[in-house]
Amino acid sequence: MAMIPAVGLLWGEGRAADYARFWLATATASDDGVAWGVRVETNDVAPGGLGGEALFTMAYLTVRAAAGATLQLTPILNDDDTVSRTVDGATVRVLQPRVTLAQQPGTPPELVVQTFEIPLLVAHERAGAPSYAVHPRAERLRLRIESIGAIGSGSFRVEQCELEYDLVRRSTFTSFTP
Amino acid sequence: MPRARVPLTFGPGLDRATGTGARDARTLTDARNLIAREAGLELRTGLSGSGLPALTWGTDILAQQSVERTRDVLQVIYDRPTRELRVFRVNPVDPPTRQQVAVWGTLNASAKFPIITMAEAGGVVYMAHAEDIMAYRLVTKYWTPGANDTDTGTLTTASADFDGSGAPGDISFYGVCAYREYIAGWGWGTEAASITADRPEIVRLSKPDDPTVFPAELYFLCGSRSTRVIGCTPMPTGLLVASSTQRYTIFGTDPETFGVELTDPSHGIVSPRAWQTINGVAYTWASTGPRVTRDPMAPSEDLALPLDLMEAQPDTWPARGPAREAFAAYEPEQRVLYWVWPDLTAAEAARTMAYACSLRLPSSPRFTPAVFERRLASAGRYVTGKVPLPTTVGASGTISLTDLGWFEVSSGRTLRAQYTFTGAVGNETVEIWLKTGSTWALHATQAYAPGTLTTEFTGLDSLTSYSVAVRLRSFLGAYGAGFTGSNPDLWTDPTPANWRATLTTGASTPTLSVPVWSRTSNTTAPFTFDITGADARCPVVIEQDTGSGYTEVATVTRTGATLTATVNVHAIPGQTPNYRARHKRGVLTGSYSGVVSQFVGLLDVAPGIVAAYDISDPTANLRAVELFFRLPQARAVQVEFTDSAQQFIETAGISTQGYQYTTTLVGAGTVNYRLRVAREQFGVYDFGPWGTLQSMTVNPAGTTPGAITVDDQNFLPNAFNPSFSEGNFGIETRLVFDPDLQPYFLFYRVDVRYFGTLRFVILGRHPSGRFTLRTSDTGGPVNNYIANPEVLDGSYLNADDGQPVIDLLGARVFAIFQSGGSNRRGPYSTIV
């Protein structure tokens, strides 16, 4: 049972055709039993500056959570969130790796810190068979991290993500250096 | 060579506005359903069952919050099909209960979706309907908790006399909020007329110690006549008053320090509910987005830029609803402030867009979006931990009542109740109930303390029965078994002597003044009493005794500082009744005053009898008596003889120096007589007391009066003015009497220097007789002959021969000759 704070927040419903309901704000990833997910999308990171170019190799995602969840990472290159396209008859697909966090036991469940090393890859497939995969290369990249399916009970914190890259070309007009 | 890394800590939250090249890499473009922490993000809280009873009426929860005083949850519920608003109270004990408090009202069909603000101060909770059209606006209500926890409380229409008419009128505020100890209400002018009622720029404050009272003079003009105050945001040192485009600040803490200034001319607020004050900092949502105010006298600061609100939002975010429906809610556990944008007027929407502003670092608020899977209409503080009320409290011990007497300063009697309890927990409240007549009322409460407790009731009435009952109430409002309800007569505790007592108050003993008699009409001649020492509001009965016992003759009640009473004694003239007075209410009586008495009538003393003479004609059957008396003032005189009817003598021309009265009587012998003064007024005579009964002997017919010798200085002493001394008012008297020849003669002399008069009184008569008066003090006697003595009655005999120099006035001369003709003459009397 979730702990109820001494002073909490009581939400009231506006409902057109049935008795309104009211709820207490509690640490659960659902609204009135309807599970909801989370979605984080970073702003663009351009290690070489705008006009530069980098090879984005890995993401190190640190999660401190008690709730079980499955997270999916989607690299978005140069503001293009298309994950699959066809190039010269081959399918170029941005891989969306997933990591799974186990539901921790206990009441309340204990928070556990986990860091996931997640390679960032763009796979080339031909005739349905993978031919090779490379790290995405782009001027800028942003990460989308979203939950897949229901999030378990307990706290869930996305604490940090480090984006690893190799600088290919630095823009001479760079005005921002991370 | 290791590859480079960019740390993305997420903590700064959204930044959707800064240009690509200048963004902080740690910021986000989306972080749905996550709350920014110092570094990182965490899940927002979800919507879970509260454990409180579900609604069984109404479609929308327009406002709700825990009442700080009682920890009840108060909800304003709207029902769209019927357009009715009702107020419910949820008692969050175990098991929790829900009760309807009252129906607030029915919304006009043309009114917008109702927006309700709710504010608590002084233990009452105000509710106001933010409707622009005054005709559609519901009156402002406030909820007052009941005396017992099981009571639902009462919903009362706010009212005040703002137009000075003397009659309070209902108030329809646009919104309310609590500011320090005050309730602030805005959008209401006066109740005089519809044109004066709709004053959108006026903000009023209640009394700080009684938020149900709004003083007419405690108001502020926050903008021009057409500026509608939409929302107010309290800060510790000022009340932010915002219209849609600007913001004023009411500063100060009391009427002596209050003032108002325009402090943010560029930013207002979008709805009455789009604000929260957290840690003394005000957060509001203006037309350009969220803003923060840290100094109430300074303009607000912009928080909206990272949200880039004017641009398209992600498709996965629900659209924001109408601005007037936006509200703010603070979730204290996560230190997150939600700005919630429901669309309440559209068809039922499943989701609600909100902006979560993390206040974990108050100096750096950070935003993330929140998408709720339900349509949220309101939010409010929920204070948990209302414990089930204890079923037992301390038991009653003893109670006694004492009448402390009448106190003029409180205009009433003071009753002292002393009581004890046993087994008290220690934090109970003592309720002291007073029964006046047949009505019980909660007179006072006091904190329980060990030992004997005392309550004094002042201003009570005399000769009145009062009952006092006491009971203990727990901290949360529970009573012991047998002590429920608001009628102590119905409390079922088996030993009422332990907690209820009755006493009949006493009464002071009044003091009667000696009454003053007066004549006010031909049928009323009242005695007027001054009564001192009488208790106000308690009747005083005056009793009269005229010789056959006391009877009540008047009842008066003091309402002011003094008390007088009148008793009509017209019907008992000449008596000297006794009077006494006492308080009397029904069968209850006080002690009697002392007895006072007074003569009924004129208080003039009876005329003094100077002399009485038998002046009967010896030859006549009718006997004659002449009386001499004196009067202290001009009055009529009533003379009463024992053998004659009463007769009156008119006052006209009467000297205050004396009067003579002659009457005729039938018969002879001993005659009793007495005199009293009389006065005619309103056609009736009133009298003074009778003088002493006098007696004289009247000779029978045919009897010659015998000689009378009155010694000098012994007759008519100071007859006409007792204030004169003997030396100045010497009387020389000599009687010379010869029954045959001498006249029955008396003369005397008064001080000629004063009166200039020498009066002769010669007693005796003869039908043809005459007498000779010889006066001489220088040259010898002078004879004065009076030809017809019998006609001299009432005339003056003047010594007109000039010898001696005396003035004879008022001589009434009678001559009595036993026999003899006209030439017969008795011997002269001795010359004096």
Side-chain angles (χ1 to χ4, degrees):
Chain A
M1 180 178 177
M3 182 177 293
I4 298 176
V7 179
L9 182 62
L10 207 57
W11 297 97
E13 188 180 26
R15 200 174 192 190
D18 205 345
Y19 298 143
R21 298 162 291 193
F22 57 98
W23 307 278
L24 194 61
T26 50
T28 177
S30 66
D31 289 339
D32 191 29
V34 178
W36 42 259
V38 299
R39 180 170 181 165
V40 180
E41 195 166 313
T42 68
N43 275 311
D44 288 324
V45 176
L50 298 182
E53 193 170 18
L55 192 65
F56 297 96
T57 56
M58 295 287 285
Y60 299 89
L61 178 63
T62 301
V63 177
R64 179 183 174 89
T70 298
L71 299 179
Q72 174 179 280
L73 268 69
T74 303
I76 300 173
L77 304 172
N78 293 342
D79 208 22
D80 181 2
D81 61 355
T82 304
V83 295
S84 178
R85 63 180 185 273
T86 302
V87 178
D88 295 333
T91 299
V92 178
R93 190 161 55 89
V94 177
L95 296 185
Q96 297 174 287
R98 295 182 178 182
V99 296
T100 299
L101 295 86
Q103 173 67 48
Q104 299 301 313
T107 305
E110 187 177 353
L111 287 166
V112 174
V113 179
Q114 299 176 74
T115 298
F116 298 94
E117 298 181 13
I118 304 171
L120 303 177
L121 295 169
V122 175
H124 288 246
E125 299 173 353
R126 190 172 295 276
S131 55
Y132 62 93
V134 298
H135 294 305
R137 178 175 174 175
E139 175 196 39
R140 50 205 158 91
L141 177 142
R142 66 176 186 264
L143 281 178
R144 174 183 296 159
I145 306 166
E146 55 193 332
S147 61
I148 303 298
I151 300 173
S153 61
S155 295
F156 181 89
R157 298 172 187 171
V158 182
E159 295 211 318
Q160 178 171 298
C161 182
E162 292 187 2
L163 183 62
E164 185 183 73
Y165 63 92
D166 272 340
L167 190 62
V168 178
R169 174 168 54 87
R170 182 180 294 278
S171 168
T172 55
F173 301 103
T174 295
S175 61
F176 164 68
T177 301
Chain B
M1 177 179 172
R3 289 175 174 142
R5 290 185 184 182
V6 179
L8 308 175
T9 55
F10 307 141
L14 294 182
D15 182 0
R16 298 173 54 81
T18 304
T20 302
R23 279 194 190 112
D24 184 339
R26 298 170 300 169
T27 61
L28 306 169
T29 188
D30 194 355
R32 190 185 323 158
N33 292 331
L34 292 161
I35 305 298
R37 294 173 63 87
E38 297 85 329
L41 301 162
E42 70 174 338
L43 289 178
R44 71 164 172 87
T45 50
L47 307 180
S48 293
S50 62
L52 303 177
L55 267 64
T56 56
W57 183 91
T59 57
D60 298 84
I61 300 174
L62 301 180
Q64 62 179 353
Q65 71 176 42
S66 283
V67 181
E68 193 167 4
R69 174 179 173 182
T70 63
R71 297 198 177 186
D72 293 332
V73 176
L74 212 58
Q75 295 178 317
V76 179
I77 310 296
Y78 176 56
D79 184 56
R80 298 191 192 212
T82 61
R83 300 194 311 279
E84 199 171 80
L85 277 77
R86 298 181 184 179
V87 176
F88 287 83
R89 172 244 193 180
V90 178
N91 190 4
V93 294
D94 186 17
T97 59
R98 161 186 296 280
Q99 301 101 27
Q100 176 179 309
V101 177
V103 175
W104 182 352
T106 301
L107 204 64
N108 188 287
S110 300
K112 295 179 181 176
F113 186 85
I115 302 299
I116 302 300
T117 52
M118 185 184 280
E120 177 185 0
V124 301
V125 179
Y126 269 84
M127 292 154 248
H129 175 209
E131 166 60 50
D132 290 347
I133 307 300
M134 177 61 74
Y136 302 160
R137 191 183 303 168
L138 297 176
V139 295
T140 300
K141 299 277 189 179
Y142 63 87
W143 177 80
T144 307
N148 301 313
D149 190 53
T150 53
D151 298 342
T152 59
T154 55
L155 197 65
T156 307
T157 299
S159 64
D161 179 18
F162 289 142
D163 62 1
S165 64
D170 293 349
I171 301 172
S172 294
F173 284 132
Y174 186 88
V176 290
C177 78
Y179 171 55
R180 300 179 70 93
E181 302 85 7
Y182 303 86
I183 284 289
W186 56 93
W188 180 257
T190 73
E191 68 279 13
S194 58
I195 194 171
T196 63
D198 190 10
R199 291 296 297 272
E201 84 286 12
I202 284 183
V203 178
R204 294 185 178 276
L205 294 182
S206 70
K207 290 180 66 175
D209 56 345
D210 185 359
T212 64
V213 177
F214 281 84
E217 66 279 5
L218 194 51
Y219 69 91
F220 307 89
L221 300 179
C222 301
S224 65
R225 180 72 174 77
S226 60
T227 299
R228 173 168 299 287
V229 173
I230 293 177
C232 291
T233 308
M235 294 183 70
T237 57
L239 178 65
L240 308 184
V241 181
S243 68
S244 59
T245 58
Q246 59 187 6
R247 188 198 74 197
Y248 285 74
T249 298
I250 296 172
F251 55 90
T253 57
D254 54 58
E256 291 187 355
T257 58
F258 279 141
V260 61
E261 281 190 12
L262 177 62
T263 50
D264 192 343
S266 304
H267 301 94
I269 199 167
V270 295
S271 90
R273 302 189 296 168
W275 64 268
Q276 281 285 324
T277 300
I278 311 296
N279 294 329
V281 178
Y283 300 89
T284 55
W285 195 291
S287 60
T288 56
R291 304 188 70 81
V292 60
T293 300
R294 304 179 194 278
D295 178 358
M297 303 309 294
S300 58
E301 305 164 24
D302 200 349
L303 297 178
L305 293 179
L307 298 178
D308 206 16
L309 292 167
M310 296 301 109
E311 298 302 323
Q313 305 289 292
D315 296 340
T316 52
W317 296 3
R320 296 197 300 268
R324 66 180 295 271
E325 298 172 5
F327 65 92
Y330 182 64
E331 203 277 279
E333 186 67 13
Q334 290 192 309
R335 281 82 167 166
V336 59
L337 171 63
Y338 289 101
W339 266 295
V340 188
W341 287 77
D343 187 353
L344 297 169
T345 52
E348 184 164 9
R351 309 170 80 202
T352 304
M353 179 62 199
Y355 296 92
C357 178
S358 173
L359 300 179
R360 294 180 70 93
L361 297 174
S363 61
S364 178
R366 287 158 294 165
F367 286 92
T368 51
V371 177
F372 289 91
E373 300 300 322
R374 291 287 181 258
R375 180 160 66 178
L376 302 177
S378 63
R381 174 190 61 204
Y382 178 45
V383 181
T384 60
K386 179 171 183 178
V387 298
L389 302 178
T391 56
T392 59
V393 294
S396 299
T398 61
I399 185 169
S400 63
L401 302 180
T402 307
D403 182 359
L404 300 183
W406 178 269
F407 292 88
E408 198 62 33
V409 66
S410 59
S411 186
R413 302 191 78 81
T414 296
L415 187 64
R416 173 179 290 166
Q418 292 183 295
Y419 37 87
T420 62
F421 298 93
T422 60
V425 176
N427 63 348
E428 292 97 332
T429 297
V430 181
E431 290 186 358
I432 304 100
W433 292 72
L434 177 66
K435 184 181 186 182
T436 305
S438 59
T439 304
W440 284 99
L442 179 61
H443 175 79
T445 60
Q446 65 183 164
Y448 167 80
T452 301
L453 299 172
T454 300
T455 293
E456 292 188 353
F457 307 83
T458 60
L460 302 183
D461 290 337
S462 302
L463 299 181
T464 302
S465 179
Y466 291 96
S467 295
V468 176
V470 294
R471 66 177 175 183
L472 289 177
R473 186 181 71 208
S474 75
F475 177 69
L476 293 174
Y479 300 103
F483 288 97
T484 56
S486 55
N487 183 352
D489 287 337
L490 301 180
W491 294 350
T492 57
D493 182 88
T495 52
N498 290 351
W499 47 266
R500 187 174 63 203
T502 299
L503 180 142
T504 299
T505 54
S508 304
T509 301
T511 300
L512 273 182
S513 68
V514 175
V516 176
W517 177 90
S518 64
R519 166 67 65 184
T520 55
S521 78
N522 61 339
T523 57
T524 56
F527 267 156
T528 300
F529 297 87
D530 287 332
I531 304 173
T532 56
D535 297 346
R537 306 183 303 279
C538 187
V540 175
V541 172
I542 298 176
E543 298 180 0
Q544 174 182 276
D545 176 20
T546 58
S548 56
Y550 280 99
T551 58
E552 295 179 359
V553 291
T555 302
V556 291
T557 303
R558 180 165 76 88
T559 57
T562 59
L563 179 63
T564 60
T566 59
V567 175
N568 187 8
V569 291
H570 169 79
I572 54 171
Q575 298 192 45
T576 304
N578 295 324
Y579 293 93
R580 63 184 181 183
R582 65 176 176 178
H583 282 294
K584 183 177 182 183
R585 190 195 300 276
V587 298
L588 303 175
T589 58
S591 299
Y592 279 116
S593 67
V595 176
V596 297
S597 302
Q598 182 60 289
F599 176 78
V600 178
L602 302 174
L603 294 183
D604 305 67
V605 296
I609 299 296
V610 175
Y613 305 110
D614 177 3
I615 58 171
S616 304
D617 183 346
T619 63
N621 287 328
L622 287 176
R623 315 307 295 159
V625 172
E626 184 177 48
L627 300 179
F628 290 83
F629 52 86
R630 59 182 173 86
L631 286 167
Q633 57 184 320
R635 285 276 193 255
V637 174
Q638 186 184 39
V639 182
E640 187 178 67
F641 292 91
T642 54
D643 57 350
S644 176
Q646 294 182 353
Q647 298 178 50
F648 293 90
I649 300 172
E650 297 301 328
T651 59
I654 293 176
S655 166
T656 60
Q657 298 173 13
Y659 197 70
Q660 295 171 266
Y661 172 63
T662 303
T663 186
T664 55
L665 302 170
V666 176
T670 300
V671 172
N672 295 323
Y673 61 94
R674 59 182 181 177
L675 288 75
R676 64 180 177 180
V677 296
R679 184 186 68 189
E680 182 183 16
Q681 198 175 13
F682 301 108
V684 294
Y685 275 96
D686 293 300
F687 303 95
W690 286 110
T692 304
L693 192 65
Q694 306 287 335
S695 296
M696 67 179 295
T697 301
V698 178
N699 294 321
T703 303
T704 299
I708 301 174
T709 299
V710 181
D711 294 336
D712 187 15
Q713 300 293 334
N714 194 36
F715 188 58
L716 302 178
N718 297 335
F720 299 120
N721 194 331
S723 66
F724 288 149
S725 68
E726 292 293 331
N728 293 332
F729 191 51
I731 298 174
E732 297 175 356
T733 306
R734 180 63 59 87
L735 288 178
V736 179
F737 180 66
D738 182 334
D740 183 41
L741 297 174
Q742 271 191 312
Y744 180 51
F745 175 63
L746 164 69
F747 75 90
Y748 56 89
R749 190 183 70 186
V750 297
D751 190 338
V752 297
R753 292 171 299 176
Y754 182 79
F755 292 98
T757 299
L758 183 63
R759 167 171 284 191
F760 295 86
V761 178
I762 303 170
L763 301 178
R765 62 182 294 148
H766 189 278
S768 59
R770 60 181 181 176
F771 75 95
T772 299
L773 172 64
R774 296 191 66 186
T775 62
S776 174
D777 58 356
T778 55
V782 176
N783 296 335
N784 295 290
Y785 300 98
I786 301 171
N788 300 300
E790 57 269 57
V791 301
L792 294 178
D793 187 14
S795 66
Y796 295 102
L797 175 63
N798 295 320
D800 54 358
D801 59 358
Q803 296 180 29
V805 183
I806 56 175
D807 182 19
L808 299 176
L809 295 175
R812 300 176 64 198
V813 178
F814 300 88
I816 299 176
F817 290 94
Q818 184 66 30
S819 61
S822 61
N823 293 323
R824 293 189 64 188
R825 177 179 304 172
Y828 287 118
S829 65
T830 304
I831 297 172
V832 296

